[in-house]
């Protein structure tokens, strides 16, 4: 449920940003649309929710599978098989649509200037480190996720040995997040919220430790200078995962296509808004544009899931940890 809502919120955030850039909000929004636009402007916080979810889901799956350090390369290969094919195909799709859009009459964006170096830098999640811009604005968060996979794969067997080791990791991670701008470290408070949620769910830590970790992570966010809404979203996400399970057909569907929706909503829905904005002349047409952009994006995301993401998921599941069946709970053996 939460993944779908988080992806949808990021989608609506970028749609709203596109309408602001194109001047539609200033010219044609009525009062209700302005209210909705102000709500959608908080949609970027869906990224923080994703970080909390990753902090929970990845260690949880590793713990349940009996992960050992010797499984690191299998774990990393599994994550790459799951993430890289959809990611790379989305890059190619974004480049193709960017190029075609630049040929359209009345195109107002930057001239097409994506070279081979920029494309290759994306394969290692390195554009910002090599002086390039991200092809899509959502990709920066995938850098944090990618680095988190490496980090958690290397340290989980050590920090899971005892509560002291786990809380020492929390403390070091939160302190470093105040000084190191690397995304995975900067947003460590949200990953800590997720890991604490995992530890509480599998009874590695008690309620007091869980809530202490959430509070310390939230305070760290405020010390970083983040707005109050960011840690609130993180804490709320953790609470939902810990204490609630609310599902229906809509949220399950959105959760299923959430990664595909996250990857392609900008090149699909964003392009629709950019191309059709020049024909808007009244507030009622804004509703049509919103509906069209969102409807086509969700349909495209579903097709992308079926054709690209689901095969990648099946491929990743074929990669298993060594002797996993014989040690399903080994990493949980120490709970002090």
């Amino acid at each position: 449920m939460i993944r779908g809502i988080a992806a949808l919120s990021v989608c609506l955030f970028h749609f709203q940003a596109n309408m602001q850039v194109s001047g539609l909000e200033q010219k044609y929004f009525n009062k209700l649309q302005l209210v909705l636009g102000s709500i959608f402007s908080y949609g970027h916080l869906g990224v923080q929710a994703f970080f909390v979810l990753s902090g929970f889901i990845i260690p949880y799956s590793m713990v349940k599978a009996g992960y050992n350090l010797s499984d690191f390369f299998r774990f990393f290969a599994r994550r790459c098989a799951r993430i890289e094919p959809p990611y790379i195909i989305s890059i190619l799709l974004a480049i193709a649509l960017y190029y075609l859009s630049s040929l359209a009459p009345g195109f107002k964006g930057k001239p097409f200037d994506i070279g081979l170096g920029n494309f290759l830098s994306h394969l290692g999640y390195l554009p910002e480190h090599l002086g390039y811009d991200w092809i899509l604005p959502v990709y920066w968060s995938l850098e944090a996720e990618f680095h988190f996979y490496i980090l958690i794969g290397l340290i989980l067997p050590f920090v899971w040995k005892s509560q002291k080791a786990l809380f020492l990791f929390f403390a070091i991670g939160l302190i470093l997040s105040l000084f190191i701008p690397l995304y995975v470290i900067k947003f460590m408070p949200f990953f800590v919220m997720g890991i604490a949620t995992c530890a509480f769910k599998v009874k590695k830590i008690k309620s007091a430790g869980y809530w202490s970790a959430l509070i310390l992570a939230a305070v760290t966010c405020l010390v970083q200078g983040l707005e109050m809404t960011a840690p609130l979203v993180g804490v709320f996400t953790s609470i939902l995962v810990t204490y609630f399970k609310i599902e229906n057909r809509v949220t399950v569907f959105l959760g299923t296509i959430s990664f595909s929706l996250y990857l392609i909503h900008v090149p699909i829905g964003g392009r629709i808004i950019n191309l059709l904005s020049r024909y808007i002349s009244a507030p009622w047409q804004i509703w049509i544009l919103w509906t069209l952009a969102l409807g086509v994006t969700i349909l495209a995301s579903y097709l992308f899931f079926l054709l690209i993401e689901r095969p990648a998921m099946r491929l990743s599941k074929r990669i298993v940890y060594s002797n996993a069946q014989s040690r399903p709970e080994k990493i949980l053996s120490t709970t002090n």
Side-chain angles (χ1 to χ4, degrees), residues 47-304:
V47 175
Q48 279 79 353
F50 272 123
F51 289 156
V52 176
L53 291 173
S54 291
F56 164 71
I57 293 171
I58 302 302
Y60 188 83
S61 64
M62 296 167 72
V63 165
K64 290 301 181 181
Y67 177 84
N68 279 336
L69 187 60
S70 60
D71 295 314
F72 173 77
F73 291 106
R74 290 185 181 88
F75 162 76
F76 188 66
R78 182 168 180 159
R79 295 313 304 166
C80 287
R82 170 69 178 87
I83 299 299
E84 291 301 302
Y87 170 60
I88 293 172
I89 296 299
S90 76
I91 294 174
L92 297 175
L93 176 64
I95 292 174
L97 292 177
Y98 182 13
Y99 176 73
L100 293 175
S101 297
S102 69
L103 301 179
F107 176 74
K108 298 180 180 179
K110 296 190 300 182
F112 181 83
D113 60 351
I114 299 175
L116 180 61
N118 192 351
F119 171 74
L120 293 177
S121 72
H122 277 70
L123 301 183
Y125 303 91
L126 296 171
E128 290 188 26
H129 306 283
L130 298 178
Y132 296 107
D133 294 326
W134 292 104
I135 293 174
L136 291 181
V138 300
Y139 287 159
W140 72 266
S141 64
L142 300 184
E143 177 194 321
E145 297 274 0
F146 185 75
H147 289 160
F148 177 69
Y149 301 152
I150 297 174
L151 178 64
I152 201 69
L154 292 174
I155 68 168
L156 188 67
F158 302 103
V159 303
W160 214 259
K161 288 183 177 180
S162 67
Q163 290 186 8
K164 291 181 180 180
L166 185 60
F167 281 104
L168 178 61
F169 166 69
F170 288 168
I172 294 174
L174 293 177
I175 292 172
L176 291 178
S177 72
L178 300 174
F179 304 101
I180 299 178
L182 189 69
Y183 287 134
V184 68
I185 305 299
K186 179 180 179 180
F187 290 95
M188 185 56 66
F190 300 98
F191 290 115
V192 164
M193 291 180 188
I195 298 170
T197 304
C198 170
F200 183 56
K201 291 277 282 186
V202 301
K203 298 180 171 39
K204 181 71 178 178
I205 60 176
K206 296 182 179 180
S207 179
Y210 166 68
W211 283 102
S212 297
L214 289 190
I215 292 171
L216 288 174
V219 170
T220 303
C221 291
L222 298 178
V223 174
Q224 285 184 0
L226 298 179
E227 294 183 1
M228 178 68 74
T229 50
L232 284 178
V233 165
V235 171
F236 184 64
T237 300
S238 174
I239 291 173
L240 285 179
V241 172
T242 303
Y243 298 107
F244 298 93
K245 185 177 182 180
I246 306 173
E247 292 184 350
N248 55 55
R249 290 183 178 181
V250 174
T251 57
V252 169
F253 173 73
L254 289 175
T256 299
I257 67 168
S258 59
F259 186 51
S260 294
L261 177 61
Y262 189 77
L263 287 175
I264 70 171
H265 72 270
V266 172
I268 301 296
R271 293 297 173 198
I272 290 174
I273 292 174
N274 291 342
L275 290 173
L276 297 183
S277 62
R278 68 202 70 178
Y279 304 110
I280 300 298
S281 59
W284 65 269
Q285 295 172 336
I286 298 293
W287 297 114
I288 296 177
L289 184 57
W290 257 337
T291 304
L292 181 63
L294 185 58
V296 172
T297 298
I298 289 176
L299 176 59
S301 299
Y302 179 60
L303 294 175
F304 192 89

Side-chain angles (χ1 to χ4, degrees), residues 11-26 29 137 265-275 277 289 293:
C11 172
L12 293 174
F13 166 76
H14 284 121
F15 286 1
Q16 173 63 16
N18 283 0
M19 291 195 175
Q20 287 179 332
V21 171
S22 63
L24 294 180
E25 181 183 75
Q26 299 86 335
F29 272 31
H265 72 270
V266 172
I268 301 296
R271 293 297 173 198
I272 290 174
I273 292 174
N274 291 342
L275 290 173
S277 62
L289 184 57

